[in-house]
């Protein structure tokens, strides 16, 4: 049982490039989340999903897109990368039927130059 | 608008001492208050959580104190150990929906040997 896995661990992008951050969970959780973490700013919710085919915006969705075609996967797409998207990105999952605990992945560190 | 305010930003205590981190919230609809612990290079992990129907919850050396009327809650770490050195985040959410968490900005705790 790997929990929540994220790839890649680290990536450098040039301004204007695009990429997809991958997130997979093997706990059969319905709810999944994407956060970004900036130094001294805590974690801010980008997008979330309450089930396959259902996604919604969080606090800071601009510049990002998501899709949820399966229960296991919740990729985050960055289009036209900007320096402001330099951050550490965390994916998390939870099952409301088992409590509110969110289980986080190890994170993806993204640097946009 | 910062819905959960956390203080202090950093905290240094000696081994065996008591670490206290405070949080205040604004939204009276919040009904779940977790604390997450994050070690460098790792994703956050749930440490302890409380609901507003109790004023205190204790798990080992970790205690949450909750003051509903003041809209404040705090984390107390008794007999602090160097292994407790990490960043701690308070958070809040409302039940019955997407279980979205609103995080404080975090407190970096250093426990000196």
């Amino acid at each position: 049982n790997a929990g929540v896995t994220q790839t890649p661990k680290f990536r450098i992008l040039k301004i204007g490039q695009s990429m997809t951050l991958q997130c997979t969970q093997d706990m059969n959780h319905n709810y999944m989340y994407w956060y970004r973490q900036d130094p001294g700013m805590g974690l801010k919710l980008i997008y979330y999903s309450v089930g396959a085919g259902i996604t919604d915006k969080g606090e800071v969705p601009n510049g990002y897109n998501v899709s949820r075609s399966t229960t296991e996967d919740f990729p985050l797409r960055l289009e036209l990368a900007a320096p402001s998207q330099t951050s550490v990105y965390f994916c998390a999952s939870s099952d409301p039927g088992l409590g509110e605990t969110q289980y986080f992945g190890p994170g993806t560190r993204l640097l946009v130059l | 608008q910062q819905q959960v305010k956390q203080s202090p930003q950093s905290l240094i205590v000696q081994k065996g001492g008591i670490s206290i981190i405070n949080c205040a919230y604004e939204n009276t609809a919040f009904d779940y208050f977790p604390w997450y612990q994050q070690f460098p290079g790792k994703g956050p992990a749930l440490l302890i959580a409380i609901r507003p129907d109790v004023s205190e919850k204790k798990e080992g050396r970790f205690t949450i104190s909750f003051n509903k009327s003041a809209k404040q809650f705090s984390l107390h770490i008794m007999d602090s150990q160097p292994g407790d050195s990490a960043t701690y985040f308070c958070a809040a959410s409302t039940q019955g929906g997407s279980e979205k968490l609103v995080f404080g900005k975090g407190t970096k705790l250093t426990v000196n040997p």
Side-chain angles (χ1 to χ4, degrees):
Chain A
N1 193 334
V4 179
T5 57
Q6 293 182 238
T7 57
K9 290 183 179 180
F10 175 67
R11 181 77 181 268
I12 299 175
L13 279 183
K14 294 182 179 179
I15 294 172
Q17 288 185 322
S18 61
M19 76 165 292
T20 298
L21 282 66
Q22 301 292 343
C23 175
T24 300
Q25 53 93 8
D26 62 359
M27 297 174 283
N28 201 33
H29 287 171
N30 284 322
Y31 291 9
M32 295 188 75
Y33 313 84
W34 274 106
Y35 296 90
R36 60 176 288 170
Q37 182 177 30
D38 300 301
M41 297 302 293
L43 293 98
K44 294 189 182 296
L45 184 65
I46 305 171
Y47 271 95
Y48 65 98
S49 169
V50 298
I54 306 170
T55 62
D56 206 348
K57 296 177 180 179
E59 183 182 358
V60 290
N62 291 343
Y64 307 94
N65 277 299
V66 294
S67 60
R68 183 101 182 268
S69 58
T70 67
T71 298
E72 295 79 18
D73 300 306
F74 190 38
L76 178 71
R77 179 79 175 169
L78 277 72
E79 305 282 1
L80 298 175
S84 62
Q85 293 178 305
T86 293
S87 188
V88 181
Y89 292 85
F90 288 100
C91 178
S93 72
S94 70
D95 186 335
L98 299 176
E100 292 85 355
T101 303
Q102 290 190 15
Y103 297 87
F104 284 78
T108 293
R109 182 175 297 274
L110 177 65
L111 180 60
V112 182
L113 299 174
Chain B
Q1 179 186 5
Q2 186 184 357
Q3 296 192 59
V4 179
K5 294 184 178 180
Q6 182 173 348
S7 62
Q9 197 170 359
S10 63
L11 180 63
I12 300 174
V13 301
Q14 293 300 120
K15 179 182 176 181
I18 302 173
S19 303
I20 301 175
I21 304 171
N22 300 299
C23 282
Y25 63 97
E26 301 167 1
N27 187 349
T28 55
F30 287 147
D31 55 10
Y32 174 69
F33 303 90
W35 285 89
Y36 278 78
Q37 180 187 54
Q38 184 181 30
F39 293 105
K42 304 292 186 182
L46 179 68
L47 182 63
I48 186 173
I50 196 169
R51 299 187 189 284
D53 55 341
V54 296
S55 60
E56 186 175 283
K57 182 174 182 179
K58 184 176 181 179
E59 290 184 1
R61 295 184 294 109
F62 301 91
T63 300
I64 298 180
S65 297
F66 185 81
N67 187 329
K68 188 174 181 178
S69 61
K71 292 187 288 185
Q72 294 176 348
F73 59 110
S74 60
L75 176 69
H76 295 235
I77 306 174
M78 311 299 290
D79 187 26
S80 299
Q81 299 296 312
D84 296 330
S85 297
T87 299
Y88 293 81
F89 295 95
C90 63
S93 73
T94 56
Q95 279 187 292
S98 60
E99 319 295 342
K100 293 183 293 181
L101 286 172
V102 178
F103 283 88
K105 292 186 176 183
T107 297
K108 183 176 181 180
L109 172 65
T110 302
V111 182
N112 289 326

